[in-house]
Short mmCIF file of all heavy atoms in Angstrom, two decimals:
data_model
loop_
_atom_site.label_atom_id
_atom_site.label_comp_id
_atom_site.label_asym_id
_atom_site.label_seq_id
_atom_site.Cartn_x
_atom_site.Cartn_y
_atom_site.Cartn_z
N GLN A 23 55.61 63.20 -71.19
CA GLN A 23 54.74 63.36 -70.14
C GLN A 23 54.63 62.03 -69.47
O GLN A 23 55.13 61.01 -69.85
CB GLN A 23 53.41 63.66 -70.76
CG GLN A 23 53.34 64.97 -71.45
CD GLN A 23 52.00 65.28 -72.02
OE1 GLN A 23 51.32 64.49 -72.44
NE2 GLN A 23 51.66 66.51 -72.11
N LEU A 24 53.91 62.00 -68.29
CA LEU A 24 53.52 60.75 -67.62
C LEU A 24 51.97 60.68 -67.65
O LEU A 24 51.38 61.72 -67.93
CB LEU A 24 53.98 60.78 -66.19
CG LEU A 24 53.40 61.74 -65.16
CD1 LEU A 24 52.22 61.25 -64.62
CD2 LEU A 24 54.38 62.12 -64.16
N ARG A 25 51.48 59.52 -67.47
CA ARG A 25 50.06 59.24 -67.51
C ARG A 25 49.60 58.66 -66.22
O ARG A 25 50.26 57.63 -65.79
CB ARG A 25 49.68 58.31 -68.66
CG ARG A 25 48.25 57.72 -68.71
CD ARG A 25 48.09 56.70 -69.84
NE ARG A 25 46.75 56.14 -69.80
CZ ARG A 25 46.51 54.92 -69.76
NH1 ARG A 25 47.51 54.13 -69.79
NH2 ARG A 25 45.36 54.39 -69.75
N LEU A 26 48.68 59.20 -65.60
CA LEU A 26 48.09 58.73 -64.34
C LEU A 26 46.79 58.03 -64.73
O LEU A 26 45.89 58.67 -65.31
CB LEU A 26 47.85 59.83 -63.29
CG LEU A 26 47.10 59.49 -62.05
CD1 LEU A 26 47.78 58.40 -61.33
CD2 LEU A 26 46.85 60.79 -61.26
N PHE A 27 46.60 56.82 -64.41
CA PHE A 27 45.42 56.00 -64.67
C PHE A 27 44.84 55.57 -63.36
O PHE A 27 45.49 54.99 -62.42
CB PHE A 27 45.87 54.88 -65.54
CG PHE A 27 44.80 53.83 -65.94
CD1 PHE A 27 43.92 54.26 -66.94
CD2 PHE A 27 44.57 52.71 -65.19
CE1 PHE A 27 42.86 53.33 -67.33
CE2 PHE A 27 43.65 51.89 -65.59
CZ PHE A 27 42.76 52.20 -66.62
N LEU A 28 43.51 55.80 -63.10
CA LEU A 28 42.90 55.31 -61.95
C LEU A 28 41.64 54.42 -62.33
O LEU A 28 40.93 54.71 -63.19
CB LEU A 28 42.27 56.54 -61.11
CG LEU A 28 43.25 57.64 -60.73
CD1 LEU A 28 42.54 58.83 -60.23
CD2 LEU A 28 44.18 57.19 -59.73
N ARG A 29 41.49 53.30 -61.68
CA ARG A 29 40.38 52.40 -61.96
C ARG A 29 39.75 51.87 -60.59
O ARG A 29 40.47 51.41 -59.85
CB ARG A 29 40.81 51.17 -62.71
CG ARG A 29 39.67 50.28 -63.25
CD ARG A 29 40.08 48.99 -64.00
NE ARG A 29 40.65 48.14 -62.94
CZ ARG A 29 41.77 47.49 -63.02
NH1 ARG A 29 42.61 47.76 -64.02
NH2 ARG A 29 42.22 46.56 -62.19
N TYR A 30 38.41 52.10 -60.49
CA TYR A 30 37.74 51.70 -59.37
C TYR A 30 36.59 50.77 -59.81
O TYR A 30 35.88 51.00 -60.65
CB TYR A 30 37.12 52.95 -58.63
CG TYR A 30 36.23 52.62 -57.52
CD1 TYR A 30 36.74 51.91 -56.41
CD2 TYR A 30 34.92 52.95 -57.44
CE1 TYR A 30 35.94 51.60 -55.36
CE2 TYR A 30 34.05 52.58 -56.44
CZ TYR A 30 34.65 51.85 -55.32
OH TYR A 30 33.81 51.58 -54.21
N ASP A 31 36.58 49.55 -59.19
CA ASP A 31 35.55 48.59 -59.46
C ASP A 31 35.27 47.71 -58.16
O ASP A 31 35.77 48.11 -57.09
CB ASP A 31 36.07 47.63 -60.66
CG ASP A 31 37.26 46.89 -60.35
OD1 ASP A 31 37.62 46.67 -59.14
OD2 ASP A 31 37.89 46.42 -61.30
N VAL A 32 34.57 46.66 -58.30
CA VAL A 32 34.21 45.90 -57.16
C VAL A 32 35.33 45.40 -56.38
O VAL A 32 35.20 45.11 -55.17
CB VAL A 32 33.13 44.78 -57.49
CG1 VAL A 32 31.88 45.31 -58.04
CG2 VAL A 32 33.78 43.80 -58.56
N SER A 33 36.48 45.14 -56.93
CA SER A 33 37.58 44.69 -56.21
C SER A 33 38.44 45.70 -55.61
O SER A 33 39.27 45.42 -54.70
CB SER A 33 38.48 43.83 -57.19
OG SER A 33 39.07 44.69 -58.15
N GLY A 34 38.32 46.95 -55.89
CA GLY A 34 38.94 48.07 -55.24
C GLY A 34 39.47 49.04 -56.15
O GLY A 34 38.89 49.29 -57.29
N LEU A 35 40.49 49.83 -55.85
CA LEU A 35 41.10 50.84 -56.58
C LEU A 35 42.41 50.62 -57.10
O LEU A 35 43.26 50.07 -56.21
CB LEU A 35 41.02 52.17 -55.79
CG LEU A 35 41.62 53.50 -56.34
CD1 LEU A 35 40.75 53.94 -57.41
CD2 LEU A 35 41.84 54.48 -55.33
N VAL A 36 42.71 50.85 -58.37
CA VAL A 36 44.16 50.61 -58.80
C VAL A 36 44.50 52.00 -59.31
O VAL A 36 43.95 52.80 -59.95
CB VAL A 36 44.10 49.63 -60.11
CG1 VAL A 36 45.47 49.61 -60.78
CG2 VAL A 36 43.61 48.20 -59.62
N VAL A 37 45.87 52.36 -59.01
CA VAL A 37 46.54 53.51 -59.38
C VAL A 37 47.74 53.04 -60.21
O VAL A 37 48.47 52.23 -59.87
CB VAL A 37 47.06 54.29 -58.24
CG1 VAL A 37 47.96 55.46 -58.67
CG2 VAL A 37 45.91 54.73 -57.31
N GLU A 38 47.87 53.63 -61.47
CA GLU A 38 49.01 53.35 -62.32
C GLU A 38 49.65 54.74 -62.88
O GLU A 38 48.89 55.55 -63.21
CB GLU A 38 48.54 52.52 -63.55
CG GLU A 38 48.15 51.12 -63.25
CD GLU A 38 47.98 50.35 -64.55
OE1 GLU A 38 48.22 50.86 -65.69
OE2 GLU A 38 47.38 49.25 -64.48
N VAL A 39 50.98 54.71 -62.76
CA VAL A 39 51.69 55.84 -63.36
C VAL A 39 52.45 55.20 -64.39
O VAL A 39 53.48 54.48 -64.20
CB VAL A 39 52.45 56.57 -62.28
CG1 VAL A 39 53.32 57.67 -62.86
CG2 VAL A 39 51.60 57.19 -61.18
N HIS A 40 52.29 55.70 -65.60
CA HIS A 40 53.11 55.24 -66.77
C HIS A 40 54.09 56.34 -67.11
O HIS A 40 53.79 57.50 -67.27
CB HIS A 40 52.17 55.02 -67.99
CG HIS A 40 51.11 54.03 -67.72
ND1 HIS A 40 50.64 53.13 -68.84
CD2 HIS A 40 50.38 53.63 -66.75
CE1 HIS A 40 49.77 52.33 -68.29
NE2 HIS A 40 49.58 52.55 -67.07
N ASP A 41 55.33 55.91 -67.46
CA ASP A 41 56.31 56.91 -67.89
C ASP A 41 57.00 56.16 -69.07
O ASP A 41 56.97 55.03 -69.30
CB ASP A 41 57.30 57.43 -66.89
CG ASP A 41 58.17 56.30 -66.24
OD1 ASP A 41 58.86 55.59 -67.08
OD2 ASP A 41 58.17 56.14 -65.00
N SER A 42 57.99 56.94 -69.75
CA SER A 42 58.62 56.40 -70.95
C SER A 42 60.17 56.29 -70.55
O SER A 42 61.02 56.10 -71.50
CB SER A 42 58.44 57.21 -72.10
OG SER A 42 58.80 58.64 -71.85
N GLY A 43 60.45 56.37 -69.29
CA GLY A 43 62.03 56.24 -68.98
C GLY A 43 62.45 54.83 -68.83
O GLY A 43 61.61 53.86 -68.64
N SER A 44 63.76 54.61 -68.75
CA SER A 44 64.34 53.35 -68.52
C SER A 44 64.44 53.07 -67.07
O SER A 44 64.25 54.02 -66.20
CB SER A 44 65.51 53.15 -69.25
OG SER A 44 66.48 54.15 -68.76
N GLY A 45 64.86 51.92 -66.73
CA GLY A 45 65.17 51.52 -65.21
C GLY A 45 64.01 51.05 -64.59
O GLY A 45 62.81 51.27 -65.08
N VAL A 46 64.29 50.31 -63.51
CA VAL A 46 63.13 49.74 -62.68
C VAL A 46 63.19 50.47 -61.27
O VAL A 46 64.28 50.40 -60.67
CB VAL A 46 63.38 48.28 -62.65
CG1 VAL A 46 62.27 47.65 -61.60
CG2 VAL A 46 63.21 47.68 -63.96
N PRO A 47 62.15 50.96 -60.85
CA PRO A 47 62.28 51.63 -59.46
C PRO A 47 62.49 50.55 -58.47
O PRO A 47 62.11 49.39 -58.65
CB PRO A 47 60.88 52.33 -59.35
CG PRO A 47 60.06 51.80 -60.41
CD PRO A 47 60.94 51.16 -61.40
N ARG A 48 63.15 50.91 -57.21
CA ARG A 48 63.37 50.03 -56.28
C ARG A 48 63.10 50.59 -54.93
O ARG A 48 63.06 51.78 -54.68
CB ARG A 48 64.73 49.42 -56.25
CG ARG A 48 65.79 50.54 -56.02
CD ARG A 48 67.23 49.99 -56.15
NE ARG A 48 68.21 51.06 -56.17
CZ ARG A 48 68.59 51.63 -55.01
NH1 ARG A 48 68.17 51.18 -53.83
NH2 ARG A 48 69.46 52.54 -54.99
N VAL A 49 62.70 49.82 -53.94
CA VAL A 49 62.46 50.24 -52.55
C VAL A 49 63.79 50.54 -51.92
O VAL A 49 64.68 49.66 -52.00
CB VAL A 49 61.61 49.23 -51.67
CG1 VAL A 49 61.47 49.61 -50.32
CG2 VAL A 49 60.26 49.10 -52.35
#
């Protein structure tokens, strides 16, 4: 599975998507 994590605080909003695969994404 993947995990979606959202955090909102005084500095703003952070979105994180955690997976267990190898490799590094690139633009």
Side-chain angles (χ1 to χ4, degrees):
Q23 297 180 330
L24 66 88
R25 174 182 171 232
L26 172 60
F27 179 82
L28 307 170
R29 184 183 77 231
Y30 175 60
D31 60 24
V32 294
S33 64
L35 177 71
V36 175
V37 174
E38 288 186 10
V39 175
H40 297 215
D41 68 51
S42 56
S44 61
V46 177
R48 63 184 175 82
V49 175

